[in-house]
């Protein structure tokens, strides 16, 4: 089994890890967003979605374990890449300009990644670990977003996530070698669209919840 | 003949041990018909006449095919034009009074030898690790004995255009050599003659590149934007596929 470890510790191997776990997170985001959007059908729909989800407790636990594993891989590999890439150019040019390849999204991946890590920690503290037994998820959300600071943090947080996946999605396809003259242009556009949907979809929720409560 | 007056800020470094510094050199009366290297020649001639050390830079063919030349001009590899080597960059692209910052390629794997000259032997190590086909050719075959679709031949030819100048590494925010390596892996992977050694090749070349201290690709596409031969990152995707095939589909480790 040593060959597996060796394969994934090379520079391309590490990219595979980032891409595979990244795609996993993208599907998680899509599912999470679909669930959260039930709030637009009213608090009852939202609460019932949450209850139904928690009725599937063993499955949820299993998914959480998967997400945790993916997070550990994504973060550890990402930090390694960040460090290695930083040290791969010990003396820098006095003047360096972008040639038109990189975008704001691609250039900020390590930083948006770290911000997302901080955001996820806060999100788990405010939502997952703070929920009282008798409290419904809409009550919890209303009380959290009664504080404008949280509305601000969540809105910025979602812009950051949107920016990360706007580069991350097509980048994962490229890394996994899924590049094709017929499909790649669409994948690149889809990636931007996904970033936008994530940013707007999640980002609009706090405002809607404040309005409703 | 139009002429322009320029100010150069050139990286001067005596050797590997020297710390190096930027030197300001005037370059008056430069013909806009000159190439960038000819402009440096003019500056160097004056420096030599003044008894000073000329600026060291690499060059050979001066027609954009050997890959020897290259420097960062105002923060861009081979200067501001697309698909152009430094020797093919003409001074008409600059304006009178411009100040040009001229620096060597920067990467841990490319050490500065002197001034603008960098040691690119890391590229040789990557090629030596597997960037070739080792089958003996024997007598000349019939031209159509091994059919290759036109599109595939074109794609392989695009990759084979790489001149190994190192602009991809210099442009990459991570100093990664992926575009260079992928050009060779992709070129040979597309050709039937390259298939028998495909798995061995990609594994060995990647290992060699990693050992040289290049960074990791993060799909920033800066290499593609500055490659003088306009080699596309689709070749990197093909190399990634080849790597996956080699790791999971071959008996090699
Ligand atoms: S000198 Fe040969 S490519 Fe520029």
């Amino acid at each position: 089994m040593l060959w597996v470890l060796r394969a994934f510790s090379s520079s391309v191997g590490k990219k595979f890890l980032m891409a595979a776990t990244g795609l996993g997170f993208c599907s998680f985001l899509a599912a999470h967003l679909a669930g959260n959007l039930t709030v637009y059908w009213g608090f009852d729909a939202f609460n019932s979605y949450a209850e139904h989800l928690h009725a599937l407790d063993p499955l949820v636990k299993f998914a959480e374990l998967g997400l945790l594993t993916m997070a550990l891989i994504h973060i550890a590999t990402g930090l390694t890449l960040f460090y290695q890439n930083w040290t791969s150019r010990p003396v820098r040019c006095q003047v360096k300009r972008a040639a038109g390849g990189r975008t704001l999204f691609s250039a900020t991946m390590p930083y948006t990644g770290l911000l997302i890590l901080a955001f996820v920690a806060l999100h788990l503290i405010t939502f997952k670990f703070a929920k009282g037994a008798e409290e419904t998820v809409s009550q919890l959300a209303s009380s959290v977003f009664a504080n404008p600071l949280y509305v601000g943090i969540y809105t910025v947080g979602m812009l950051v996530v949107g920016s990360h996946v706007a580069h991350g999605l097509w980048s994962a396809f490229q890394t996994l070698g899924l590049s094709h003259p017929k499909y790649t242009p669409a994948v690149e556009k889809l990636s931007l669209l996904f970033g936008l949907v994530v940013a707007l979809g999640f980002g609009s929720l706090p405002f809607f919840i404040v309005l409703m409560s | 003949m139009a002429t322009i007056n320029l100010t150069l800020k050139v990286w001067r470094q005596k050797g590997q041990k020297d710390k190096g510094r930027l030197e300001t050199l005037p370059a008056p009366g430069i013909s806009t018909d000159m190439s960038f290297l000819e402009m440096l020649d003019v500056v160097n001639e004056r420096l030599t006449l003044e008894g000073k050390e000329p600026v060291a830079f690499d060059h050979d063919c001066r027609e954009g095919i050997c890959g020897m030349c290259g420097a960062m001009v105002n923060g861009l590899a081979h200067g501001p034009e697309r698909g152009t080597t430094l020797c093919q960059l003409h001074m008409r692209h600059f304006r009178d009074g411009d100040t040009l910052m001229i620096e060597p390629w920067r990467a841990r794997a490319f050490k500065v030898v002197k001034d603008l000259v960098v040691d690119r032997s890391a590229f040789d190590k990557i090629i030596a690790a597997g960037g070739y086909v080792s089958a003996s050719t024997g007598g000349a075959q019939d031209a159509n004995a091994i059919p290759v679709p036109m599109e595939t031949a074109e794609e392989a030819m695009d990759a084979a255009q790489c001149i190994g100048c190192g602009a991809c590494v210099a442009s990459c925010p991570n100093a990664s050599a992926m575009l260079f390596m992928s050009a060779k892996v992709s070129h040979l992977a597309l050709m039937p003659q390259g298939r028998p050694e495909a798995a061995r090749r990609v594994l060995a070349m990647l290992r060699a590149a990693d050992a040289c201290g290049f960074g990791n690709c993060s799909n920033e596409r800066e290499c593609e934007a500055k490659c003088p031969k306009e080699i596309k990152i689709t070749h990197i995707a093909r190399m990634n596929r080849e790597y996956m095939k080699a790791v999971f589909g071959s008996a090699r480790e």
Side-chain angles (χ1 to χ4, degrees), chain B residues 201-221:
Chain B
R201 175 178 308 117
V202 68
L203 292 174
M205 285 179 76
L206 184 63
R207 214 156 275 158
D210 285 353
C212 287
F214 290 106
N216 307 281
C217 169
S218 60
N219 301 332
E220 296 258 32
R221 313 184 83 151

PDB file of all heavy atoms in Angstrom, chain B residues 201-221:
ATOM      1  N   ARG B 201       7.353   7.056 -17.996  1.00  0.00           N
ATOM      2  CA  ARG B 201       7.753   8.433 -18.285  1.00  0.00           C
ATOM      3  C   ARG B 201       7.136   9.422 -17.304  1.00  0.00           C
ATOM      4  O   ARG B 201       7.836  10.204 -16.661  1.00  0.00           O
ATOM      5  CB  ARG B 201       7.350   8.815 -19.717  1.00  0.00           C
ATOM      6  CG  ARG B 201       7.632  10.273 -20.056  1.00  0.00           C
ATOM      7  CD  ARG B 201       7.264  10.596 -21.489  1.00  0.00           C
ATOM      8  NE  ARG B 201       7.887   9.658 -22.398  1.00  0.00           N
ATOM      9  CZ  ARG B 201       7.214   8.819 -23.181  1.00  0.00           C
ATOM     10  NH1 ARG B 201       5.897   8.830 -23.179  1.00  0.00           N
ATOM     11  NH2 ARG B 201       7.844   7.975 -23.952  1.00  0.00           N
ATOM     12  N   VAL B 202       5.814   9.380 -17.163  1.00  0.00           N
ATOM     13  CA  VAL B 202       5.155  10.411 -16.344  1.00  0.00           C
ATOM     14  C   VAL B 202       5.582  10.284 -14.882  1.00  0.00           C
ATOM     15  O   VAL B 202       5.831  11.285 -14.208  1.00  0.00           O
ATOM     16  CB  VAL B 202       3.621  10.396 -16.526  1.00  0.00           C
ATOM     17  CG1 VAL B 202       2.984   9.145 -15.961  1.00  0.00           C
ATOM     18  CG2 VAL B 202       2.993  11.639 -15.927  1.00  0.00           C
ATOM     19  N   LEU B 203       5.719   9.061 -14.403  1.00  0.00           N
ATOM     20  CA  LEU B 203       6.124   8.883 -13.003  1.00  0.00           C
ATOM     21  C   LEU B 203       7.541   9.410 -12.777  1.00  0.00           C
ATOM     22  O   LEU B 203       7.799  10.148 -11.824  1.00  0.00           O
ATOM     23  CB  LEU B 203       6.045   7.400 -12.611  1.00  0.00           C
ATOM     24  CG  LEU B 203       4.634   6.814 -12.538  1.00  0.00           C
ATOM     25  CD1 LEU B 203       4.698   5.307 -12.289  1.00  0.00           C
ATOM     26  CD2 LEU B 203       3.813   7.487 -11.445  1.00  0.00           C
ATOM     27  N   ALA B 204       8.452   9.046 -13.672  1.00  0.00           N
ATOM     28  CA  ALA B 204       9.848   9.443 -13.493  1.00  0.00           C
ATOM     29  C   ALA B 204      10.028  10.953 -13.660  1.00  0.00           C
ATOM     30  O   ALA B 204      10.746  11.592 -12.888  1.00  0.00           O
ATOM     31  CB  ALA B 204      10.733   8.700 -14.485  1.00  0.00           C
ATOM     32  N   MET B 205       9.341  11.523 -14.652  1.00  0.00           N
ATOM     33  CA  MET B 205       9.513  12.960 -14.885  1.00  0.00           C
ATOM     34  C   MET B 205       8.945  13.774 -13.732  1.00  0.00           C
ATOM     35  O   MET B 205       9.538  14.770 -13.302  1.00  0.00           O
ATOM     36  CB  MET B 205       8.865  13.372 -16.210  1.00  0.00           C
ATOM     37  CG  MET B 205       9.674  12.939 -17.418  1.00  0.00           C
ATOM     38  SD  MET B 205       8.911  13.386 -18.991  1.00  0.00           S
ATOM     39  CE  MET B 205       9.246  15.138 -19.100  1.00  0.00           C
ATOM     40  N   LEU B 206       7.801  13.341 -13.218  1.00  0.00           N
ATOM     41  CA  LEU B 206       7.199  14.078 -12.107  1.00  0.00           C
ATOM     42  C   LEU B 206       8.094  13.995 -10.872  1.00  0.00           C
ATOM     43  O   LEU B 206       8.304  14.987 -10.170  1.00  0.00           O
ATOM     44  CB  LEU B 206       5.799  13.538 -11.802  1.00  0.00           C
ATOM     45  CG  LEU B 206       5.074  14.321 -10.717  1.00  0.00           C
ATOM     46  CD1 LEU B 206       4.848  15.761 -11.153  1.00  0.00           C
ATOM     47  CD2 LEU B 206       3.746  13.685 -10.371  1.00  0.00           C
ATOM     48  N   ARG B 207       8.631  12.799 -10.640  1.00  0.00           N
ATOM     49  CA  ARG B 207       9.512  12.623  -9.486  1.00  0.00           C
ATOM     50  C   ARG B 207      10.732  13.536  -9.619  1.00  0.00           C
ATOM     51  O   ARG B 207      11.148  14.164  -8.646  1.00  0.00           O
ATOM     52  CB  ARG B 207       9.941  11.150  -9.423  1.00  0.00           C
ATOM     53  CG  ARG B 207      10.107  10.636  -8.020  1.00  0.00           C
ATOM     54  CD  ARG B 207       9.941   9.130  -7.973  1.00  0.00           C
ATOM     55  NE  ARG B 207       8.545   8.745  -7.868  1.00  0.00           N
ATOM     56  CZ  ARG B 207       8.084   7.543  -8.229  1.00  0.00           C
ATOM     57  NH1 ARG B 207       8.899   6.631  -8.738  1.00  0.00           N
ATOM     58  NH2 ARG B 207       6.814   7.264  -8.067  1.00  0.00           N
ATOM     59  N   ALA B 208      11.275  13.600 -10.813  1.00  0.00           N
ATOM     60  CA  ALA B 208      12.463  14.442 -11.030  1.00  0.00           C
ATOM     61  C   ALA B 208      12.131  15.911 -10.797  1.00  0.00           C
ATOM     62  O   ALA B 208      12.882  16.639 -10.149  1.00  0.00           O
ATOM     63  CB  ALA B 208      13.003  14.233 -12.444  1.00  0.00           C
ATOM     64  N   ALA B 209      10.962  16.340 -11.293  1.00  0.00           N
ATOM     65  CA  ALA B 209      10.573  17.743 -11.137  1.00  0.00           C
ATOM     66  C   ALA B 209      10.373  18.084  -9.668  1.00  0.00           C
ATOM     67  O   ALA B 209      10.808  19.136  -9.184  1.00  0.00           O
ATOM     68  CB  ALA B 209       9.306  18.031 -11.927  1.00  0.00           C
ATOM     69  N   ASP B 210       9.698  17.192  -8.945  1.00  0.00           N
ATOM     70  CA  ASP B 210       9.469  17.446  -7.522  1.00  0.00           C
ATOM     71  C   ASP B 210      10.805  17.547  -6.775  1.00  0.00           C
ATOM     72  O   ASP B 210      10.976  18.392  -5.903  1.00  0.00           O
ATOM     73  CB  ASP B 210       8.598  16.341  -6.910  1.00  0.00           C
ATOM     74  CG  ASP B 210       7.128  16.494  -7.321  1.00  0.00           C
ATOM     75  OD1 ASP B 210       6.800  17.524  -7.949  1.00  0.00           O
ATOM     76  OD2 ASP B 210       6.321  15.584  -7.033  1.00  0.00           O
ATOM     77  N   ALA B 211      11.755  16.685  -7.160  1.00  0.00           N
ATOM     78  CA  ALA B 211      13.056  16.678  -6.479  1.00  0.00           C
ATOM     79  C   ALA B 211      13.843  17.954  -6.763  1.00  0.00           C
ATOM     80  O   ALA B 211      14.691  18.347  -5.964  1.00  0.00           O
ATOM     81  CB  ALA B 211      13.851  15.454  -6.905  1.00  0.00           C
ATOM     82  N   CYS B 212      13.584  18.598  -7.894  1.00  0.00           N
ATOM     83  CA  CYS B 212      14.316  19.819  -8.245  1.00  0.00           C
ATOM     84  C   CYS B 212      13.840  21.031  -7.442  1.00  0.00           C
ATOM     85  O   CYS B 212      14.466  22.083  -7.485  1.00  0.00           O
ATOM     86  CB  CYS B 212      14.159  20.127  -9.733  1.00  0.00           C
ATOM     87  SG  CYS B 212      15.086  19.019 -10.792  1.00  0.00           S
ATOM     88  N   GLY B 213      12.714  20.897  -6.755  1.00  0.00           N
ATOM     89  CA  GLY B 213      12.243  21.997  -5.924  1.00  0.00           C
ATOM     90  C   GLY B 213      11.313  22.976  -6.611  1.00  0.00           C
ATOM     91  O   GLY B 213      11.179  24.115  -6.180  1.00  0.00           O
ATOM     92  N   PHE B 214      10.670  22.543  -7.696  1.00  0.00           N
ATOM     93  CA  PHE B 214       9.643  23.399  -8.306  1.00  0.00           C
ATOM     94  C   PHE B 214       8.398  23.396  -7.419  1.00  0.00           C
ATOM     95  O   PHE B 214       8.190  22.459  -6.645  1.00  0.00           O
ATOM     96  CB  PHE B 214       9.279  22.872  -9.697  1.00  0.00           C
ATOM     97  CG  PHE B 214      10.366  23.063 -10.718  1.00  0.00           C
ATOM     98  CD1 PHE B 214      11.123  21.994 -11.154  1.00  0.00           C
ATOM     99  CD2 PHE B 214      10.627  24.327 -11.237  1.00  0.00           C
ATOM    100  CE1 PHE B 214      12.137  22.167 -12.096  1.00  0.00           C
ATOM    101  CE2 PHE B 214      11.632  24.511 -12.185  1.00  0.00           C
ATOM    102  CZ  PHE B 214      12.392  23.424 -12.604  1.00  0.00           C
ATOM    103  N   GLY B 215       7.563  24.399  -7.572  1.00  0.00           N
ATOM    104  CA  GLY B 215       6.338  24.478  -6.777  1.00  0.00           C
ATOM    105  C   GLY B 215       5.238  23.594  -7.346  1.00  0.00           C
ATOM    106  O   GLY B 215       5.460  22.853  -8.306  1.00  0.00           O
ATOM    107  N   ASN B 216       4.058  23.668  -6.743  1.00  0.00           N
ATOM    108  CA  ASN B 216       2.921  22.864  -7.182  1.00  0.00           C
ATOM    109  C   ASN B 216       1.961  23.733  -7.979  1.00  0.00           C
ATOM    110  O   ASN B 216       1.685  24.866  -7.603  1.00  0.00           O
ATOM    111  CB  ASN B 216       2.170  22.307  -5.972  1.00  0.00           C
ATOM    112  CG  ASN B 216       3.078  21.571  -5.031  1.00  0.00           C
ATOM    113  OD1 ASN B 216       3.439  20.419  -5.276  1.00  0.00           O
ATOM    114  ND2 ASN B 216       3.496  22.235  -3.961  1.00  0.00           N
ATOM    115  N   CYS B 217       1.432  23.154  -9.041  1.00  0.00           N
ATOM    116  CA  CYS B 217       0.487  23.876  -9.896  1.00  0.00           C
ATOM    117  C   CYS B 217      -0.816  24.122  -9.149  1.00  0.00           C
ATOM    118  O   CYS B 217      -1.328  23.240  -8.469  1.00  0.00           O
ATOM    119  CB  CYS B 217       0.217  23.041 -11.139  1.00  0.00           C
ATOM    120  SG  CYS B 217      -1.139  23.635 -12.142  1.00  0.00           S
ATOM    121  N   SER B 218      -1.349  25.354  -9.245  1.00  0.00           N
ATOM    122  CA  SER B 218      -2.669  25.592  -8.654  1.00  0.00           C
ATOM    123  C   SER B 218      -3.613  26.202  -9.693  1.00  0.00           C
ATOM    124  O   SER B 218      -4.507  26.957  -9.361  1.00  0.00           O
ATOM    125  CB  SER B 218      -2.560  26.450  -7.391  1.00  0.00           C
ATOM    126  OG  SER B 218      -1.985  27.695  -7.699  1.00  0.00           O
ATOM    127  N   ASN B 219      -3.384  25.855 -10.947  1.00  0.00           N
ATOM    128  CA  ASN B 219      -4.260  26.264 -12.050  1.00  0.00           C
ATOM    129  C   ASN B 219      -4.500  27.767 -12.123  1.00  0.00           C
ATOM    130  O   ASN B 219      -5.623  28.229 -12.285  1.00  0.00           O
ATOM    131  CB  ASN B 219      -5.610  25.532 -11.955  1.00  0.00           C
ATOM    132  CG  ASN B 219      -5.445  24.034 -12.000  1.00  0.00           C
ATOM    133  OD1 ASN B 219      -4.489  23.528 -12.591  1.00  0.00           O
ATOM    134  ND2 ASN B 219      -6.361  23.308 -11.382  1.00  0.00           N
ATOM    135  N   GLU B 220      -3.425  28.508 -12.004  1.00  0.00           N
ATOM    136  CA  GLU B 220      -3.534  29.971 -12.095  1.00  0.00           C
ATOM    137  C   GLU B 220      -3.498  30.446 -13.546  1.00  0.00           C
ATOM    138  O   GLU B 220      -3.821  31.593 -13.833  1.00  0.00           O
ATOM    139  CB  GLU B 220      -2.390  30.633 -11.317  1.00  0.00           C
ATOM    140  CG  GLU B 220      -2.432  30.358  -9.818  1.00  0.00           C
ATOM    141  CD  GLU B 220      -2.985  31.537  -9.057  1.00  0.00           C
ATOM    142  OE1 GLU B 220      -3.851  32.256  -9.596  1.00  0.00           O
ATOM    143  OE2 GLU B 220      -2.524  31.758  -7.923  1.00  0.00           O
ATOM    144  N   ARG B 221      -3.034  29.612 -14.439  1.00  0.00           N
ATOM    145  CA  ARG B 221      -2.982  29.864 -15.878  1.00  0.00           C
ATOM    146  C   ARG B 221      -2.034  30.977 -16.302  1.00  0.00           C
ATOM    147  O   ARG B 221      -2.131  31.486 -17.417  1.00  0.00           O
ATOM    148  CB  ARG B 221      -4.380  30.206 -16.429  1.00  0.00           C
ATOM    149  CG  ARG B 221      -5.469  29.306 -15.979  1.00  0.00           C
ATOM    150  CD  ARG B 221      -6.747  29.655 -16.649  1.00  0.00           C
ATOM    151  NE  ARG B 221      -6.763  29.025 -17.955  1.00  0.00           N
ATOM    152  CZ  ARG B 221      -7.879  28.646 -18.578  1.00  0.00           C
ATOM    153  NH1 ARG B 221      -9.046  28.870 -18.031  1.00  0.00           N
ATOM    154  NH2 ARG B 221      -7.829  28.069 -19.742  1.00  0.00           N
TER     155      ARG B 221
END
